[in-house]
Amino acid sequence: MQAVGTTYPGGTWGLYRDGELVPGGGEPLEVTDKYRGTPWARVDGAAPADLDAAVAGARRALSRPIPPRTRRDILLRAASILAARREELARGIVKEAGKPYKDAFVEVGRAIDTFTLAAEEAPRIAGEMVPVEAAPGSEDRLAFTLRVPVGVVAAITPFNFPINLVAHKVAPALAAGNAVVLKPASTTPVTSLRLAGILAEAGLPPGYLQVVTGSGGAIGDRLVEHPGVNLITFTGSGDVGRRITQRAGLRRVCLELGNNSPVLVLADADLERAAAAVSTGGFLSAGQKCISVQRVIVEAAVYDRFRDALVARVAALKTGDPDDPDTDVGPMISEREAERAEAWVRAAVEGGARLLVGGRREGPVLYPTLLEDVRPDMAVVCQEIFAP
């Protein structure tokens, strides 16, 4: 499926409903090249009526169940198409997410694996026997369970992994026979629309994947509360996850939320290996991931050696244009987010923390930063910074 229109380098897109692109009635989204800040794509936003139509279409699709073997074949074909278009998809992620090319290329590979694994499970979904005959008086009784699709899955996905975290929600849901209404992050919707076209090309019947776009306030809340939705799956911040659980009522909710767990480096560790792992874990995706390394607690006996090894590795990271295949750290998702993170760093330094490397910002790019002598009450310690 090709994007319609040529005004923008990344195309002009509608919503994806019942197997085709359709105009949206909401506020349009302008997707920018995250490094250059220039317009890259335009996507129609969804109005409430568009969301209602998407949910209704998903429910209609469920009236025509897809056999497990057919689900497997569709997902395998989708994985094959993803592999054939890996370069194109990676280049799109570079633009709309600002992710360095080498990381975007790896992410598409992970999405291929996700679809393949989901395909393998589609024919294996089974129930089990329940040994009720072990209970007195039930010797002549038989009990068993069946696993059936939950129904319409509302999937709300973040910007930081615009294909693989979408795949994490869409592929297993389709493998289990569900229909999905997907709301991607408003900053990175194009990859989701491309993925919807790939699944249609792979043979997914119309209606089983609907894509609606818009802000969380305009569309996300309404999707969470929609009576036609059976399960909500969300990846994002803890605050939004809490709000979703409050709005979901008795419906099932699956959440993958933020994190600020420490890495511990003990005296018997391989310090070079630990420094390499922390450097990768802290600055991949510009630190914008829920498993990013933010706090490192080091045993005193090896603190100086580990710190020096880590500083050397972080200082050597190449930062800047994500199109450059050698770039390690690209821009954050927006200049506003980079300014926020820079302010947290500045506040820590003003509060007594020592800047070891980084700390400077150029537009949406915050250079990889290390601080020591921080206090537990500083924002860079007690909150999730979601930055490098």
Side-chain angles (χ1 to χ4, degrees):
M1 180 181 67
Q2 299 294 321
V4 293
T6 56
T7 304
Y8 295 84
T12 303
W13 300 78
L15 310 177
Y16 193 84
R17 187 165 71 236
D18 295 335
E20 61 182 355
L21 287 172
V22 299
E27 191 72 24
L29 308 173
E30 187 169 80
V31 182
T32 59
D33 178 322
K34 298 304 184 292
Y35 181 65
R36 293 166 182 83
T38 54
W40 180 71
R42 181 189 180 278
V43 177
D44 285 356
D50 296 317
L51 178 59
D52 292 341
V55 175
R59 298 205 72 82
R60 283 194 303 272
L62 290 171
S63 67
R64 304 179 298 278
I66 309 173
R69 181 172 179 174
T70 304
R71 290 181 230 149
R72 180 200 63 188
D73 293 345
I74 290 168
L75 294 171
L76 286 176
R77 283 195 295 269
S80 179
I81 297 169
L82 285 170
R85 299 182 189 168
R86 187 170 180 175
E87 175 74 16
E88 172 194 350
L89 290 162
R91 290 294 180 187
I93 291 170
V94 169
K95 294 300 183 184
E96 74 168 347
K99 181 169 288 193
Y101 168 76
K102 59 186 177 183
D103 296 336
F105 194 80
V106 169
E107 184 186 343
V108 181
R110 291 181 63 194
I112 294 166
D113 289 344
T114 300
F115 272 91
T116 303
L117 291 168
E120 292 171 353
E121 292 303 315
R124 299 176 186 166
I125 299 170
E128 61 182 345
M129 299 302 299
V130 181
V132 294
E133 64 272 18
S138 298
E139 292 83 1
D140 58 348
R141 294 180 182 176
L142 178 70
F144 58 90
T145 63
L146 295 175
R147 292 184 180 273
V148 298
V150 70
V152 174
V153 174
I156 304 174
T157 58
F159 69 81
N160 52 343
F161 289 86
I163 192 165
N164 193 43
L165 285 183
V166 172
H168 275 204
K169 299 184 184 304
V170 170
L174 295 177
N178 300 289
V180 181
V181 179
L182 168 65
K183 195 205 86 66
S186 56
T187 50
T188 56
V190 174
T191 301
S192 290
L193 292 163
R194 285 179 168 156
L195 181 60
I198 286 170
L199 279 161
E201 188 177 337
L204 185 69
Y208 268 91
L209 176 59
Q210 317 270 10
V211 183
V212 294
T213 59
S215 69
I219 291 299
D221 288 346
R222 186 178 177 90
L223 177 58
V224 166
E225 297 173 344
H226 201 288
V229 166
N230 301 102
L231 180 145
I232 302 134
T233 173
F234 167 78
T235 298
S237 73
D239 288 342
V240 175
R242 187 177 299 109
R243 191 166 80 238
I244 285 173
T245 59
Q246 292 168 346
R247 293 171 177 266
L250 297 178
R251 283 168 296 173
R252 303 178 192 183
V253 177
C254 297
L255 304 175
E256 180 189 358
L257 306 177
N259 171 66
N260 184 3
S261 300
V263 168
L264 306 180
V265 181
L266 304 183
D268 60 350
D270 180 332
L271 298 184
E272 286 296 333
R273 184 179 177 188
V278 169
S279 179
T280 300
F283 303 105
L284 188 72
S285 297
Q288 299 171 122
K289 60 186 192 300
C290 63
I291 57 171
S292 182
V293 175
Q294 179 174 332
R295 296 186 291 134
V296 187
I297 299 173
V298 187
E299 197 166 354
V302 294
Y303 180 86
D304 289 346
R305 288 168 53 204
F306 175 80
R307 177 197 58 202
D308 294 346
L310 182 58
V311 167
R313 287 186 174 274
V314 174
L317 293 172
K318 184 170 182 178
T319 303
D321 188 348
D323 278 308
D324 185 337
D326 294 326
T327 293
D328 299 302
V329 181
M332 292 181 61
I333 195 62
S334 69
E335 186 166 357
R336 184 179 66 179
E337 284 299 300
E339 289 171 344
R340 173 193 60 79
E342 180 189 33
W344 286 24
V345 171
R346 188 185 311 116
V349 172
E350 291 172 353
R354 191 160 78 93
L355 184 65
L356 298 176
V357 64
R360 67 188 178 97
R361 179 181 63 83
E362 293 178 0
V365 177
L366 181 69
Y367 279 72
T369 300
L370 284 177
L371 297 161
E372 70 175 354
D373 298 332
V374 293
R375 297 193 315 271
D377 61 338
M378 290 177 172
V380 295
V381 177
C382 65
Q383 299 182 43
E384 184 184 22
I385 192 166
F386 221 64

